[in-house]
């Protein structure tokens, strides 16, 4: 063979080798990627809840007698001091000595209730003064840089809670005073020489709505019989049963979003109180769970939720952690690394992601801060605008060639 022929044969051989190498070389693995972002991050606890009146009042018969028919119906608006029912004392029951003593005892009980509520008002005023002092002291320390701003927010919320407790105590004292007036009137009528000829009205202790009629028809009722229930639907709260492990992450003052309540938009609220005692409940799967009641105050304007009533079902999302500026990746991109030989049991495994770099997958260990249902907060290991592989399969490994799958 001449030299030209050798060149042709050599070139053909090299081409064949290159073709075989290309044919048997592993093809890049098709993957899906997502960008590393920097945005606000939060974790939350979601649970079903139920609306409830903060205060419910049962109006009862102040004495045994004949009740005239109550014309009010459920949902009717009543004002404070409005006559709800009219009584005509029953002569036979009111002229005996036992009934007179019962009425006198009722007056004494009402007087004791007034004293008790007055003591609660004094206690609430003292708690409010203490909360005001603590808030003022914390604000001074915050301006000097000795405490965190979150401490100021917590003390401000405690001050607002103390103000609400004071208002509730004052309202309870007012109700007790009205009960005392009603009992004194009943006692006076029981001592009347002809009580059957005198009628008097039972008045509403508060302004609100009629929630339930317990006795609507005319008839003779016994002392203490329930007549109707009153409540102010403008003072609603939301109650949710949380697992005790979740309740530990939701302190008073934690923000709440109220979703799927039947109206447009999302309502806002704050955790007001976590009850100190838990109860055992059985889930739909037959598992015993320890749950505790969480009381949530609505902070949205009343005009936004005026259609809500007592006992309505809602869904609450309680925010347990908020980070204003956090590096985030989808949770589907994060996976645990195998534990090192001899590692102690129960230790949190090291987490990692696959980063797309130069057409190859590069395994990068990361430090997680927290994660929610869709995103994971990465404390260290990644930078914004990098791309990570989501749902990495078994074929993806460190250094493997990959290509982005077309969506």
């Amino acid at each position: 063979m001449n030299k030209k022929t050798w060149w042709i044969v050599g070139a053909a051989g090299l081409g064949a080798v290159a073709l075989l190498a290309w044919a048997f070389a592993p093809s890049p693995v098709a993957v899906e990627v997502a960008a590393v972002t920097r945005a606000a991050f939060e974790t939350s606890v979601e649970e079903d809840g139920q609306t409830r009146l903060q205060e419910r009042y049962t109006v009862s018969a102040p004495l045994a007698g004949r009740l005239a028919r109550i014309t009010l119906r459920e949902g009717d608006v009543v004002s404070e001091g409005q006559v709800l029912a009219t009584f005509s004392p029953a002569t036979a029951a009111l002229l005996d000595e036992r009934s007179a003593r019962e009425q006198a005892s009722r007056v004494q009980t009402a007087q004791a209730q007034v004293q008790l509520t007055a003591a609660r008002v004094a206690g609430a005023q003292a708690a409010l003064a203490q909360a005001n002092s603590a808030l003022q002291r914390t604000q001074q320390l915050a301006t000097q840089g000795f405490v965190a701003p979150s401490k100021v927010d917590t003390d401000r919320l405690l001050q607002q809670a103390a103000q609400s407790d004071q208002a509730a105590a004052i309202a309870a004292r007012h109700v007790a005073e009205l009960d005392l007036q009603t009992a004194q009137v009943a006692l006076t009528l029981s001592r009347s020489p002809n009580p059957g000829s005198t009628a008097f009205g039972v008045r509403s202790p508060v302004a609100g709505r009629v929630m339930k009629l317990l006795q609507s028809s005319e008839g003779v009722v016994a002392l203490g019989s329930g007549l109707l229930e009153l409540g102010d639907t403008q003072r609603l709260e939301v109650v949710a049963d949380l697992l005790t492990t979740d309740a530990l992450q939701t302190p008073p003052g934690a923000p709440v979003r109220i979703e799927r309540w039947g109206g447009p938009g999302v309502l806002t609220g704050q955790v007001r109180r976590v009850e100190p005692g838990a109860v055992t409940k059985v889930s739909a799967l037959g598992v015993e769970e320890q749950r505790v009641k969480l009381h949530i105050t609505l902070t949205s304007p009343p005009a936004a939720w005026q259609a809500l009533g007592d006992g309505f079902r809602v869904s609450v999302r309680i925010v347990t952690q908020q980070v204003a500026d956090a590096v985030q990746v989808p949770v589907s991109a994060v996976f645990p690394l195998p534990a090192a030989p001899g590692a102690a049991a129960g230790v949190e495994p090291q987490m990692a992601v696959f980063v797309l770099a130069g057409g190859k997958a590069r395994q990068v260990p990361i430090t997680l801060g927290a994660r929610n249902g869709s995103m994971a907060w990465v404390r260290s290991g990644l930078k914004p605008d990098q791309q990570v592989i989501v749902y990495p399969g078994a074929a993806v490994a460190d250094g493997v060639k990959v290509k982005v799958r077309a969506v």
Side-chain angles (χ1 to χ4, degrees):
M1 291 186 182
N2 55 27
K3 188 175 182 179
K4 183 178 181 180
T5 304
W6 281 108
W7 276 106
I8 294 173
V9 173
L14 290 175
V17 171
L19 184 62
L20 290 173
W22 175 82
F24 289 99
S27 58
V29 179
V31 295
E32 296 180 17
V33 297
V36 180
T37 58
R38 183 187 292 274
F41 175 83
E42 67 179 28
T43 58
S44 60
V45 176
E46 186 175 2
E47 191 59 70
D48 288 335
Q50 192 176 48
T51 59
R52 191 173 72 176
L53 294 172
Q54 291 190 19
E55 298 291 342
R56 185 185 299 269
Y57 302 92
T58 300
V59 179
S60 57
L63 74 166
R66 176 169 292 278
L67 171 70
R69 183 175 182 82
I70 298 177
T71 58
L72 295 171
R73 292 295 178 263
E74 287 86 349
D76 287 351
V77 178
V78 297
S79 58
E80 182 179 342
Q82 177 180 338
V83 175
L84 304 177
T86 303
F87 266 90
S88 297
T91 304
L94 293 176
L95 290 180
D96 61 11
E97 183 63 22
R98 186 186 70 177
S99 297
R101 291 185 178 183
E102 286 178 352
Q103 291 299 330
S105 298
R106 184 177 178 85
V107 171
Q108 294 175 359
T109 301
Q111 290 172 341
Q113 187 67 24
V114 171
Q115 296 175 356
L116 176 62
T117 53
R120 289 177 179 173
V121 170
Q125 291 173 343
L128 178 58
Q130 182 181 9
N132 289 332
S133 176
L135 177 61
Q136 184 178 5
R137 183 169 57 254
T138 304
Q139 288 175 336
Q140 293 176 352
L141 294 175
T143 56
Q144 299 173 3
F146 290 108
V147 297
S150 59
K151 175 61 175 173
V152 178
D153 296 336
T154 301
D155 286 354
R156 185 176 290 110
L157 290 171
L158 291 176
Q159 181 206 36
Q160 294 173 359
Q163 290 175 342
S164 299
D165 291 342
Q166 182 191 34
I170 293 174
R173 181 182 62 184
H174 183 60
V175 172
E177 291 172 348
L178 290 176
D179 286 343
L180 175 59
Q181 294 176 9
T182 302
Q184 289 173 338
V185 170
L187 179 61
T188 302
L189 290 174
S190 68
R191 293 172 175 174
S192 172
N194 188 18
S197 61
T198 306
F200 73 97
V202 178
R203 300 182 179 274
S204 173
V206 294
R209 289 178 177 271
V210 178
M211 305 305 298
K212 184 186 295 185
L213 279 177
L214 304 177
Q215 178 74 32
S216 60
S217 299
E218 179 180 354
V220 176
V221 296
L223 172 67
S225 299
L227 304 179
L228 43 79
E229 289 184 0
L230 301 179
D232 187 359
T233 54
Q234 298 300 310
R235 297 188 61 196
L236 286 177
E237 67 176 0
V238 177
V239 179
D241 285 341
L242 262 66
L243 293 171
T244 52
T245 52
D246 292 336
L248 291 175
Q249 306 175 39
T250 55
V256 181
R257 297 188 186 93
I258 299 161
E259 306 167 339
R260 299 197 300 275
W261 58 281
V266 176
L267 303 178
T268 59
Q270 280 184 338
V271 176
R272 180 169 60 89
R273 180 167 59 93
V274 181
E275 292 189 359
V279 296
T280 302
K281 292 191 174 181
V282 180
S283 68
L285 300 177
V287 180
E288 288 189 353
E289 300 173 339
Q290 294 301 117
R291 290 187 171 267
V292 63
K293 286 189 179 299
L294 198 76
H295 298 259
I296 300 167
T297 301
L298 291 166
T299 57
S300 293
W305 47 268
Q306 61 182 353
L308 280 176
D310 182 43
F312 283 40
R313 181 179 178 180
V314 297
S315 177
V316 297
R317 185 182 299 274
I318 307 159
V319 179
T320 58
Q321 185 179 25
Q322 288 180 312
V323 181
D325 190 21
V327 176
Q328 304 178 54
V329 296
V331 292
S332 55
V334 181
F335 59 90
L337 293 175
V347 178
E348 283 284 334
Q350 175 70 49
M351 309 302 289
V353 297
F354 284 118
V355 175
L356 182 63
K360 293 184 178 181
R362 296 298 181 187
Q363 182 175 290
V364 177
I366 60 173
T367 302
L368 278 184
R371 63 177 116 188
N372 54 32
S374 59
M375 303 298 290
W377 168 29
V378 181
R379 289 183 180 271
S380 62
L382 293 177
K383 297 180 179 180
D385 298 330
Q386 287 182 302
Q387 288 187 316
V388 294
I389 299 174
V390 296
Y391 305 108
V396 180
D398 189 26
V400 170
K401 290 184 178 181
V402 294
K403 65 177 180 180
V404 178
R405 181 184 292 117
V407 179

